[in-house]
Amino acid sequence: MEVWYSEVSVFPPMARKTKNAPVATIEPPQPQTRIPEKAAGSRDLLIAVAAIVLAVAFVFTQTGGFGLVGLDDTTFTTDNVFVTSGLTANGVQYAFRSFEMGSWHPLTWMSHMLDYSLFGEDPGAFHLENAAIHLANCLLLFFLARGLTGGVWPAAFLALLFALHPMHVEPVAWLADRKGLLATLFWLAAAMCWVRWAAPGGPRDRRFYFGALASFALGLLSKPTIVTLPFTLLLIEYWPLKRWTSWGEFAGRLPDKIPFFALAIGFAGLTYHGQQEAGAMTMYGDLGPGARLVNAAYGFAMYLAKTFWPAGLALNYPITPNPPMAAVAAGGAAAIGVSAVALWKMREWPALFAGWFWFLGTLIPTIGLIQTGDQAFADRYSYAPHIGLFAVVIAAVVRFVPSETLRSTGALAAGIALMVGLAWRSHVQTTYWHDAITQFEHTVSVAPAHTQGRQVLGKTYIKLKRYGEAEKHLTAGLATDPSDAVTHRTIAEVWFARGDKEKALASLDTAQRLAPLSALTQYNRGIVLRALDRYDESAAAYRKAIELGLLPETRAEAWFAMGMSLNKANKTDKAIEAFLEALKVDPYHYLARKNLAFAYLRLQDYVQSQREFELLLRTNETDPDVVRSLSFLRNRR
């Protein structure tokens, strides 16, 4: 079996004899200085595990003091009432029913709910949980590679590259990609079970087979990009397991993967449906096959470039209508050229074949051939694919660098220097995730045309009432992309906060024209129209927002605000209907019930009015409006 360690001993416990070595003089043994081989192996194992733990701790323990960056992570945490309620029966039902964020990932939802049950509203604890999952992934990868190759140090080097690469900061430091960490955790667990099941001379215990299948299912429930796992199992069976060595034998390895492929196809269909429902398939317009292929080649070039020179990293890299053709050509040439060499040399150098096609194949779901978002590529998508590429790099070093050189002090120093450099670069990259302003001021500094970054900065500065800075970033975003509806909607908040209601409405009307199915734009139009005393139009905007779909807490607010507008329009009957709808969504909405009570009182429906005021009194015994109104109703007879 071709393995890294058996061909070249990189850091062997004892030097090997060479063919021309002089005969050593026989001397009495020196037990006080000789380390038994088993003890040396245990020592190396402990050193490797300690190095991995310390590396992850150095880079990511700082996240215990971090907050949220305001892009998707709030949707998984503070903005979702089911999550903030902790792990409850209703929350579990929501997790399995929800296609929010365009995918079905109930296990990820439940992990965030569990965070709130365990830690309350402490985002630092949530971040440390991400770091702990990343550490678990690094250790699983180490033990998987060690078991497959028999070598401690090549496996440790692979795990340390995985632990410390700056492109892997994003999936760890961004709470929204908890799903990627969990999916990789179960991916590696499935691979470990499969190796125990499929290894030549292995126990053939079907518990390992079903353990791999169960782990795959859990990974799919975390993030559907794990659909490529059956493909990677076939690659592992080629190298290092050598369960098949020809395409004829390859066909014989397919039957026991059928349940895996069936699960993969089913979840791929669910994901496609969810992305269509979320509008992610057309978020950047109708890209034709040619444009998708060009962007895929460009993205692939960027993945390779940033792997070997991880500078200028940012959260998402937006699709560009005219990517640099040199990068497109380089990406296409690398994908085709290296693939051709890997196929040509697959018998002579199986590590290149298995590792390269792991990298290339696992990138396929996120490379942009099927558009599932507004990014051309993203650091987080390299997380699992990098395993294959790093394996190729290590195998190439072992194959082409003489063993004497690898055993030298210089090689050891170079390896340590590389890891220290990666650790420091990742530590610095992690600091950018401290909060929204730190993250996105950095993002727009390295990618000035990053419209999404400008939007988040605009929203963050609006919350801080720093309207000048919000306007600066949102105006820059519109200069880059005048057709971006979200930016028009966000800058309307700046105009409204400054008192320019007409300008705010004009921006919202533009946003509505650009994205007519946006519920949030209609909701904001309702707010502005009500402030302009255009109550009937305001109520109609709120109703349209509800029809287009809003989260439960926002839907309750929309019904309540609609009722207030209808009250102002002297349509009390309609206002009562709206308040009742708000209470159906949120029975504890105090202001909806209070205004409902006054609406009944205005219509002289004293029985219903008194009933509502008595319910309010149970919630707040000191509300003077409630006390005074109840006193009137009880004494009116």
Side-chain angles (χ1 to χ4, degrees):
M1 179 172 68
E2 180 185 342
V3 296
W4 295 326
Y5 198 74
S6 63
E7 291 185 345
V8 178
S9 181
V10 182
F11 298 110
M14 299 178 65
R16 295 178 178 176
K17 281 188 177 181
T18 61
K19 186 175 181 180
N20 298 320
V23 178
T25 303
I26 299 175
E27 296 180 357
Q30 302 293 326
Q32 67 274 20
T33 59
R34 183 175 183 274
I35 302 173
E37 186 174 346
K38 184 175 181 180
S42 299
R43 178 202 60 191
D44 288 351
L45 182 64
L46 288 173
I47 293 172
V49 169
I52 294 166
V53 172
L54 290 173
V56 173
F58 171 73
V59 175
F60 294 111
T61 51
Q62 61 180 305
T63 62
F66 287 9
L68 305 176
V69 299
L71 180 64
D72 292 353
D73 54 358
T74 55
T75 304
F76 281 104
T77 54
T78 55
D79 290 349
N80 191 303
V81 67
F82 291 105
V83 173
T84 57
S85 298
L87 190 60
T88 64
N90 285 338
V92 172
Q93 289 181 18
Y94 168 82
F96 277 94
R97 292 174 180 172
S98 174
F99 277 89
E100 194 175 346
M101 307 301 294
S103 294
W104 190 61
H105 35 58
L107 198 61
T108 297
W109 282 117
M110 288 189 286
S111 78
H112 288 293
M113 294 170 189
L114 183 61
D115 281 351
Y116 272 87
S117 292
L118 294 175
F119 310 118
E121 299 180 0
D122 180 6
F126 308 163
H127 281 295
L128 289 177
E129 184 177 337
N130 269 24
I133 298 171
H134 177 56
L135 175 59
N137 289 341
C138 297
L139 292 173
L140 279 174
L141 178 60
F142 168 68
F143 285 109
L144 174 65
R146 177 176 173 267
L148 284 169
T149 67
V152 170
W153 291 111
F157 201 74
L158 174 64
L160 285 167
L161 282 174
F162 182 79
L164 293 174
H165 198 281
M167 290 181 76
H168 296 181
V169 167
E170 181 177 299
V172 183
W174 189 29
L175 285 178
D177 204 45
R178 167 79 60 81
K179 53 185 180 288
L181 295 175
L182 286 172
T184 305
L185 178 74
F186 292 114
W187 190 327
L188 293 168
M192 292 189 78
C193 288
W194 190 261
V195 168
R196 291 295 300 274
W197 157 258
R204 304 299 290 175
D205 188 333
R206 295 194 69 83
R207 288 178 298 179
F208 291 116
Y209 178 89
F210 289 112
L213 190 61
S215 296
F216 182 40
L218 291 172
L220 289 168
L221 291 171
S222 303
K223 186 178 182 180
T225 49
I226 194 180
V227 291
T228 54
L229 179 131
F231 164 77
T232 60
L233 295 182
L234 286 164
L235 292 174
I236 290 173
E237 288 185 342
Y238 183 75
W239 179 84
L241 292 184
K242 288 192 175 295
R243 294 293 290 167
W244 61 279
T245 56
S246 67
W247 293 112
E249 292 176 334
F250 169 80
R253 302 306 306 164
L254 293 177
D256 58 3
K257 313 294 188 307
I258 289 174
F260 292 83
F261 282 113
L263 277 175
I265 292 169
F267 273 81
L270 279 172
T271 302
Y272 186 83
H273 167 74
Q275 292 289 332
Q276 279 192 318
E277 290 294 311
M281 312 296 286
T282 56
M283 185 178 290
Y284 232 83
D286 186 16
L287 291 176
R292 291 175 187 271
L293 195 60
V294 166
N295 272 286
Y298 171 62
F300 188 68
M302 291 295 97
Y303 282 118
L304 284 173
K306 289 183 180 293
T307 296
F308 294 102
W309 190 254
L313 304 182
L315 176 52
N316 291 346
Y317 304 90
I319 291 175
T320 173
N322 298 300
M325 292 312 297
V328 172
I336 295 171
V338 179
S339 297
V341 171
L343 287 168
W344 177 39
K345 296 288 186 179
M346 66 182 293
R347 287 181 179 274
E348 180 182 339
W349 192 11
L352 173 63
F353 173 82
W356 175 256
F357 283 109
W358 176 306
F359 175 63
L360 182 63
T362 54
L363 274 176
I364 292 297
T366 56
I367 201 68
L369 295 174
I370 300 176
Q371 190 59 36
T372 58
D374 59 352
Q375 67 282 329
F377 59 99
D379 293 349
R380 62 189 177 277
Y381 295 150
S382 71
Y383 191 66
H386 264 162
I387 294 171
L389 187 58
F390 292 161
V392 170
V393 170
I394 296 169
V397 169
V398 171
R399 183 180 181 90
F400 296 112
V401 178
S403 59
E404 293 78 8
T405 302
L406 288 176
R407 290 199 300 269
S408 68
T409 303
L412 175 61
I416 292 174
L418 174 62
M419 293 306 162
V420 169
L422 287 174
W424 179 249
R425 183 70 188 86
S426 290
H427 186 276
V428 172
Q429 185 67 26
T430 303
T431 65
Y432 298 137
W433 289 87
H434 186 275
D435 53 58
I437 291 176
T438 305
Q439 168 57 224
F440 290 104
E441 288 287 4
H442 166 72
T443 294
V444 300
S445 72
V446 299
H450 202 291
T451 303
Q452 193 177 53
R454 302 282 186 188
Q455 291 166 2
V456 177
L457 282 170
K459 293 173 185 176
T460 304
Y461 283 126
I462 287 168
K463 289 179 182 178
L464 296 173
K465 299 184 179 180
R466 293 161 62 176
Y467 302 119
E469 289 160 288
E471 180 185 353
K472 179 189 75 172
H473 284 291
L474 294 169
T475 302
L478 288 175
T480 301
D481 185 2
S483 65
D484 189 83
V486 176
T487 307
H488 282 286
R489 184 178 71 220
T490 307
I491 204 168
E493 296 182 44
V494 175
W495 311 140
F496 187 73
R498 288 176 165 174
D500 195 338
K501 302 167 191 174
E502 293 290 353
K503 196 171 183 179
L505 183 60
S507 291
L508 287 170
D509 287 343
T510 302
Q512 181 191 5
R513 176 175 53 80
L514 293 169
L517 299 181
S518 170
L520 191 53
T521 297
Q522 289 288 1
Y523 179 79
N524 289 352
R525 288 186 74 250
I527 294 172
V528 176
L529 287 165
R530 183 178 161 206
L532 289 168
D533 299 334
R534 294 161 62 174
Y535 301 119
D536 286 327
E537 293 174 82
S538 171
Y542 284 128
R543 186 176 295 278
K544 183 66 175 177
I546 293 165
E547 290 172 356
L548 290 171
L550 292 167
L551 289 174
E553 56 268 32
T554 311
R555 190 162 68 246
E557 285 301 317
W559 281 115
F560 166 67
M562 185 197 304
M564 298 298 289
S565 292
L566 291 167
N567 252 342
K568 288 286 189 178
N570 295 316
K571 297 180 178 179
T572 308
D573 287 339
K574 296 292 185 182
I576 287 173
E577 293 175 6
F579 293 137
L580 288 171
E581 290 294 335
L583 290 168
K584 285 182 183 177
V585 180
D586 180 5
Y588 302 102
H589 197 301
Y590 188 84
L591 289 177
R593 192 171 298 282
K594 185 173 180 177
N595 282 277
L596 175 63
F598 277 113
Y600 280 132
L601 186 60
R602 190 175 303 115
L603 291 179
Q604 297 183 0
D605 188 340
Y606 300 122
V607 174
Q608 288 290 353
S609 179
Q610 183 172 337
R611 175 181 176 277
E612 298 301 333
F613 278 121
E614 285 174 346
L615 288 172
L616 289 164
L617 191 67
R618 297 177 190 174
T619 303
N620 186 358
E621 296 178 352
T622 61
D623 187 329
D625 294 331
V626 174
V627 172
R628 186 167 54 250
S629 299
L630 266 179
S631 177
F632 165 75
L633 288 167
R634 288 169 177 171
N635 295 325
R636 58 176 288 274
R637 297 174 186 174

Coordinates of all heavy atoms in Angstrom, one line a residue, residues 19 22-23 29 31 82 93 99 109 121 196 237 257 281 290 311 348 403 405 420 438 468 489 554 578 593 601 605 620:
K19 N 22.8 1.3 2.5 CA 23.5 0.2 1.9 C 25.0 0.2 2.1 O 25.7 -0.7 2.4 CB 23.1 0.1 0.4 CG 23.7 -1.1 -0.3 CD 23.2 -1.1 -1.7 CE 23.7 -2.4 -2.4 NZ 23.3 -2.4 -3.8
P22 N 29.1 2.2 7.1 CA 30.1 1.4 7.7 C 29.5 0.6 8.8 O 28.5 0.9 9.4 CB 31.1 2.4 8.3 CG 30.2 3.7 8.4 CD 29.2 3.6 7.3
V23 N 30.2 -0.6 9.1 CA 29.7 -1.5 10.1 C 30.0 -0.8 11.5 O 31.1 -0.4 11.7 CB 30.4 -2.8 10.0 CG1 30.0 -3.7 11.2 CG2 30.2 -3.5 8.7
P29 N 24.8 -2.0 25.4 CA 23.6 -1.1 25.2 C 23.6 0.0 26.3 O 24.1 -0.2 27.4 CB 22.4 -2.1 25.5 CG 23.0 -3.2 26.2 CD 24.5 -3.3 25.8
P31 N 20.7 1.7 28.0 CA 19.2 1.8 28.2 C 18.8 3.1 28.7 O 17.7 3.5 28.5 CB 19.0 0.7 29.2 CG 20.3 0.4 29.9 CD 21.3 0.7 28.9
F82 N -37.4 31.5 17.7 CA -37.4 30.1 18.0 C -36.0 29.7 18.6 O -35.9 28.9 19.4 CB -37.6 29.3 16.7 CG -39.1 29.4 16.3 CD1 -39.4 30.1 15.2 CD2 -40.1 28.7 17.0 CE1 -40.7 30.2 14.7 CE2 -41.4 28.8 16.5 CZ -41.7 29.5 15.4
Q93 N -39.6 21.6 16.0 CA -40.6 21.5 14.9 C -40.2 22.6 13.8 O -40.2 22.3 12.6 CB -42.0 21.8 15.4 CG -42.6 20.6 16.2 CD -44.0 21.0 16.7 OE1 -44.7 21.8 16.2 NE2 -44.4 20.2 17.7
F99 N -37.1 26.3 5.8 CA -36.2 26.4 4.6 C -35.6 27.8 4.6 O -35.1 28.2 3.6 CB -36.9 26.1 3.3 CG -37.0 24.7 3.0 CD1 -38.1 23.9 3.4 CD2 -36.0 24.0 2.3 CE1 -38.2 22.6 3.1 CE2 -36.1 22.7 2.0 CZ -37.2 22.0 2.4
W109 N -29.9 24.4 13.1 CA -30.8 25.2 13.9 C -30.8 24.7 15.3 O -30.7 25.6 16.3 CB -32.2 25.1 13.3 CG -32.5 25.9 12.1 CD1 -32.8 25.4 10.9 CD2 -32.4 27.3 12.0 NE1 -33.0 26.5 10.0 CE2 -32.8 27.6 10.6 CE3 -32.1 28.4 12.9 CZ2 -32.8 29.0 10.2 CZ3 -32.2 29.7 12.4 CH2 -32.5 30.0 11.1
E121 N -27.6 34.5 26.4 CA -27.3 35.5 25.3 C -25.8 35.9 25.3 O -25.5 37.1 25.4 CB -28.2 36.7 25.4 CG -29.7 36.3 25.3 CD -30.6 37.6 25.4 OE1 -30.1 38.7 25.5 OE2 -31.8 37.4 25.3
R196 N -12.8 1.8 8.7 CA -12.9 0.6 9.5 C -13.7 -0.5 8.7 O -13.4 -1.7 8.9 CB -13.5 0.9 10.8 CG -12.7 1.7 11.7 CD -11.4 1.0 12.2 NE -11.7 -0.2 12.9 CZ -11.9 -0.3 14.2 NH1 -11.9 0.8 14.9 NH2 -12.1 -1.5 14.8
E237 N -10.9 4.8 -1.1 CA -10.7 3.4 -1.4 C -9.7 3.2 -2.5 O -9.1 2.1 -2.5 CB -12.1 2.8 -1.8 CG -13.0 2.7 -0.7 CD -14.3 2.0 -1.1 OE1 -14.6 1.9 -2.3 OE2 -15.0 1.5 -0.2
K257 N -22.3 1.8 -2.0 CA -22.5 3.2 -1.9 C -23.9 3.7 -2.2 O -24.2 4.9 -2.1 CB -21.5 4.0 -2.8 CG -20.1 3.5 -2.7 CD -19.4 3.8 -1.4 CE -17.9 3.5 -1.5 NZ -17.5 2.2 -2.0
M281 N -31.2 31.4 -6.5 CA -30.8 30.9 -7.9 C -30.7 32.1 -8.9 O -30.0 32.0 -9.9 CB -31.7 29.8 -8.4 CG -32.0 28.7 -7.4 SD -30.6 27.7 -6.9 CE -30.5 26.8 -8.4
G290 N -22.6 30.0 -20.1 CA -21.2 30.5 -20.4 C -20.7 31.4 -19.3 O -19.5 31.2 -18.9
A311 N -3.8 36.3 1.2 CA -3.8 37.7 1.5 C -5.1 38.3 0.9 O -5.7 37.8 0.0 CB -2.6 38.4 0.9
E348 N 0.8 5.4 -11.2 CA 2.2 5.7 -10.7 C 2.1 6.6 -9.4 O 3.0 6.4 -8.5 CB 2.9 6.4 -11.8 CG 4.4 6.8 -11.4 CD 5.0 7.6 -12.5 OE1 4.6 7.5 -13.7 OE2 6.0 8.3 -12.3
S403 N 14.8 11.9 1.5 CA 14.5 11.6 2.9 C 15.5 12.2 3.8 O 15.2 12.6 4.9 CB 14.5 10.1 3.1 OG 15.7 9.5 2.8
T405 N 17.1 15.0 3.5 CA 16.7 16.4 3.6 C 15.5 16.6 4.5 O 15.5 17.5 5.4 CB 16.4 17.0 2.2 OG1 17.5 16.8 1.4 CG2 16.0 18.5 2.3
V420 N 4.2 28.6 12.3 CA 4.2 29.8 13.0 C 3.7 31.0 12.2 O 2.8 31.8 12.7 CB 5.6 30.1 13.6 CG1 5.6 31.5 14.2 CG2 6.0 29.1 14.7
T438 N -15.6 46.3 12.5 CA -14.2 45.8 12.3 C -14.2 44.9 11.1 O -13.3 45.0 10.2 CB -13.7 45.0 13.5 OG1 -13.8 45.9 14.7 CG2 -12.3 44.6 13.3
G468 N -24.0 59.9 9.0 CA -23.0 60.3 8.0 C -22.2 59.2 7.4 O -22.0 59.1 6.2
R489 N -33.1 50.3 -0.2 CA -34.0 50.2 1.0 C -33.3 50.6 2.3 O -33.9 51.3 3.1 CB -34.4 48.7 1.2 CG -35.4 48.5 2.3 CD -35.8 47.0 2.4 NE -34.8 46.2 2.9 CZ -34.5 45.0 2.4 NH1 -35.2 44.5 1.4 NH2 -33.5 44.2 2.9
T554 N -41.9 39.9 13.1 CA -42.1 41.0 12.2 C -43.6 41.0 11.7 O -44.2 42.0 11.5 CB -41.1 41.0 11.0 OG1 -39.8 40.8 11.5 CG2 -41.2 42.3 10.3
A578 N -57.2 43.8 12.4 CA -55.7 43.7 12.3 C -55.1 43.4 13.7 O -54.1 42.6 13.8 CB -55.2 45.1 11.8
R593 N -53.0 44.4 22.1 CA -54.1 44.2 23.0 C -54.7 45.5 23.5 O -55.9 45.7 23.6 CB -53.8 43.2 24.1 CG -55.0 42.7 24.8 CD -54.7 41.6 25.8 NE -54.2 40.4 25.1 CZ -54.9 39.5 24.5 NH1 -56.2 39.7 24.4 NH2 -54.3 38.5 24.0
L601 N -63.7 50.0 22.9 CA -64.3 51.1 23.6 C -64.9 52.2 22.7 O -66.0 52.8 23.0 CB -63.3 51.7 24.6 CG -63.8 52.7 25.6 CD1 -64.8 52.2 26.5 CD2 -62.6 53.2 26.5
D605 N -68.4 48.8 22.5 CA -68.5 47.4 22.8 C -67.9 47.2 24.2 O -66.8 46.8 24.3 CB -67.9 46.6 21.7 CG -68.2 45.1 21.9 OD1 -68.5 44.7 23.0 OD2 -68.0 44.3 20.9
N620 N -49.9 44.2 33.6 CA -49.3 45.4 34.1 C -50.3 46.1 35.0 O -51.2 46.8 34.5 CB -48.8 46.3 33.0 CG -48.1 47.6 33.5 OD1 -48.0 47.8 34.7 ND2 -47.7 48.4 32.5

